[in-house]
Amino acid sequence: MNTRLKLDAISKRYGGDKNSITALQDISFTLTEGEFLAIQGPSGSGKSTLLNICGLIDNPSDGDYYLNGISVAQLSISERCTYRRRDIGFIFQRHQLIPAMTVYENIAYPLLLNGVQPKQIKHDVNQLLNTMGLEHRRKHLPKQLSGGERQRVGVARALIKRPQLVIADEPSASLDHQHAHAGLQLMRELNKQYGASFLIASHDAFVIDHCDRKIELLDGQLKASP
Ligand SMILES: Nc1ncnc2c1ncn2[C@@H]1O[C@H](COP(=O)(O)OP(=O)(O)O)[C@@H](O)[C@H]1O
Ligand SMILES: [Mg+2]
């Protein structure tokens, strides 16, 4: 299996020297192609910080990391942006759908940003709407949806461009069990279908049990070595 993501002694400190917070300390692990990896840890343990770094949203204070063997530190800002837009999908706890856009438009948006042709966009979005049982909600706005439907739209938006890496920050935290399970199953199916690697922060035992492997964070440090 090829390595998708490799972290080598990543640390992150927030704030200035005097009152700085160490959010991550000496984190190393690898994520292979198609792997479904859980990051477990209590609130404040550094999960979101770690995901933001892996998703190229934030920079580490120390350490190296590699996407498909390329050192992220060596990439220019615009190369990172391109990577993030093209190859990484994000699923957030609060979905962060665009309120003024319909379900269809929210899902189509990443393809629009990537310059995909309109005909292709229509085809891909319609297909995914069907797969995810959202066909009848295509013209609705996020505020008109249930929590479970919003989560499905969030998952669809993250997966529409078939990213190599999907990053999910507590995707089931605001959902009841039934909807959380359905969302997870969907991620799993698409993981098998497209071979995307998943990095999922969660403290939901059900989610963690359904991942290939888990790593545990405590106070910014890895508890058990993977
Ligand atoms: N932007 C920030 N500025 C300062 N401290 C932060 C910032 N983001 C997170 N932290 C701190 O870093 C630590 C880890 O936070 P976070 O990564 O959000 O953990 P988790 O997602 O596991 O709850 C916490 O102590 C938090 O207060
Ligand atoms: Mg968090």
Side-chain angles (χ1 to χ4, degrees), residues 56 67 70-81 83:
L56 313 185
L67 272 164
I70 297 166
S71 165
V72 173
Q74 309 290 320
L75 297 176
S76 69
I77 289 174
S78 79
E79 283 170 328
R80 281 185 212 198
C81 269
Y83 219 112

Side-chain angles (χ1 to χ4, degrees), residues 103-129:
V103 165
Y104 181 96
E105 290 164 346
N106 264 285
I107 298 172
Y109 194 53
L111 297 183
L112 210 62
L113 289 181
N114 281 317
V116 176
Q117 293 303 309
K119 220 173 151 183
Q120 185 74 42
I121 294 182
K122 209 169 157 189
H123 171 268
D124 289 359
V125 176
N126 282 332
Q127 194 177 47
L128 197 53
L129 281 170

Side-chain angles (χ1 to χ4, degrees), residues 149-222:
E149 285 170 338
R150 273 200 285 270
Q151 192 211 28
R152 296 218 294 284
V153 178
V155 172
R157 182 188 53 183
L159 296 170
I160 187 71
K161 58 189 180 182
R162 302 194 179 194
Q164 299 175 347
L165 173 62
V166 179
I167 289 185
D169 197 352
E170 307 202 34
S172 64
S174 59
L175 294 174
D176 60 53
H177 248 45
Q178 194 191 343
H179 283 125
H181 298 180
L184 182 73
Q185 255 164 12
L186 200 69
M187 287 193 250
R188 253 312 199 189
E189 272 166 37
L190 294 163
N191 156 255
K192 295 221 168 78
Q193 227 174 315
Y194 305 154
S197 307
F198 278 67
L199 210 47
I200 305 174
S202 183
H203 34 226
D204 180 337
F206 182 87
V207 173
I208 293 161
D209 284 349
H210 282 77
C211 288
D212 295 326
R213 188 162 65 92
K214 68 169 182 185
I215 57 176
E216 279 184 79
L217 274 178
L218 193 62
D219 293 333
Q221 290 180 284
L222 276 188

Side-chain angles (χ1 to χ4, degrees), residues 4-5 10-11 16 24 40 44 53 78 111 124 127 146 155 202:
R4 179 72 78 207
L5 179 68
I10 289 289
S11 295
L24 294 174
Q40 190 182 17
I53 290 172
S78 79
L111 297 183
D124 289 359
Q127 194 177 47
S146 72
V155 172
S202 183

